[in-house]
Amino acid sequence: MGLQACLFDLDGVLVDTAKYHYLAWKQLANSLGFDFKELQNEELKGISRVESLKKILAWGGLDFPQERQDELASLKNSWYVEMISEMKADEVLPGSFELLEELRTNQIRIALGSASKNAQLILDNTGLTPYFDAIVDGNVVSKSKPDPEVFLKGAEMLHISPSGCVVFEDASAGVEAALRATMKAIGIGSPKELSKAHLVVEDLTKIQLKAIQNLF
């Protein structure tokens, strides 16, 4: 069959919003009377807002009823949205525009597969939106990675068989989701952390269409 579509995670692959998540969670932790370190933030990679909050409260030795937890998750998100509303095209990670351009030129379909509920805002602010044929985000799917729902939905929206798709991911849960969806996986980041991926590169400047096609 060969390569027909590429599906991209957003955070850590095309843009780096981890710093904004970190700053917003830190602001929340500080408002509750404890601190939150950058190293702990690494443990929140690829997991949902609700799960992230549970971990942070546990680190702070706090326990709140569900209603209060919902309020806190919402408060963190409002701070985060404020921060990402200022994002510009120069915050797109190196190699992203070039690779997306190359895929479009060669008629390879492109979809987003992200857990973020703010994906559209980020894509619009950074000028990435026009490259995507389908956008699957946290408003469309209910299951978190490693469940393959987000990528299977992307393939469905593109009308392409999962076996013709390649996923770009920076988190092991995302790589796992791609494999469960019977797609090829390209890891962005550390080969040790992303050892299950078919190929691992440091960032998108290190990958070209030919190398993606060679996975098939």
Side-chain angles (χ1 to χ4, degrees):
M1 176 185 279
L3 173 68
Q4 291 186 299
C6 289
L7 290 83
F8 291 85
D9 177 40
L10 183 60
D11 298 350
V13 175
L14 296 170
V15 296
D16 182 14
T17 54
K19 61 183 173 188
Y20 298 119
H21 279 297
Y22 168 62
L23 291 170
W25 281 127
K26 188 177 171 64
Q27 194 171 336
L28 186 76
N30 293 164
S31 75
L32 294 169
F34 65 99
D35 204 13
F36 169 61
K37 300 280 186 283
E38 214 154 346
L39 197 63
Q40 291 170 306
N41 193 55
E42 284 300 302
E43 288 188 42
L44 308 181
K45 238 186 188 182
I47 67 171
S48 70
R49 192 187 306 158
V50 175
E51 290 304 314
S52 295
L53 178 64
K54 286 195 169 92
K55 272 181 174 286
I56 287 167
L57 291 178
W59 289 329
L62 297 173
D63 191 19
F64 292 116
Q66 192 55 52
E67 199 179 323
R68 176 70 174 134
Q69 287 189 38
D70 293 344
E71 280 172 16
L72 291 172
S74 179
L75 181 61
K76 178 266 171 180
N77 190 55
S78 66
W79 289 334
Y80 171 71
V81 169
E82 243 172 69
M83 292 173 193
I84 59 170
S85 297
E86 303 299 316
M87 285 181 81
K88 302 281 186 291
D90 63 5
E91 289 193 66
V92 173
L93 291 172
S96 302
F97 282 121
E98 292 81 356
L99 179 59
L100 293 168
E101 200 67 63
E102 189 180 13
L103 295 174
R104 281 207 90 66
T105 304
N106 289 275
Q107 279 80 54
I108 305 295
R109 308 274 283 160
I110 302 169
L112 187 81
S114 168
S116 170
K117 289 191 172 180
N118 304 298
Q120 190 68 63
L121 174 65
I122 295 168
L123 293 179
D124 289 346
N125 285 355
T126 54
L128 286 166
T129 303
Y131 291 98
F132 289 90
D133 301 299
I135 291 167
V136 184
D137 62 16
N139 299 300
V140 178
V141 293
S142 56
K143 295 174 185 146
S144 292
K145 302 166 189 174
D147 190 284
E149 183 189 22
V150 67
F151 296 133
L152 291 173
K153 185 80 180 160
E156 186 190 315
M157 285 169 75
L158 294 173
H159 307 292
I160 285 172
S161 161
S163 58
C165 298
V166 169
V167 168
F168 290 80
E169 260 291 349
D170 72 319
S172 57
V175 169
E176 182 71 33
L179 300 179
R180 286 195 202 175
T182 67
M183 298 178 179
K184 298 282 191 280
I186 295 179
I188 308 296
S190 150
K192 191 177 166 201
E193 273 179 47
L194 306 168
S195 58
K196 289 185 180 174
H198 294 89
L199 176 67
V200 180
V201 292
E202 192 184 337
D203 59 43
L204 293 181
T205 63
K206 305 287 192 295
I207 187 94
Q208 272 143 353
L209 181 56
K210 190 83 186 117
I212 305 169
Q213 289 168 326
N214 285 344
L215 294 175
F216 290 85

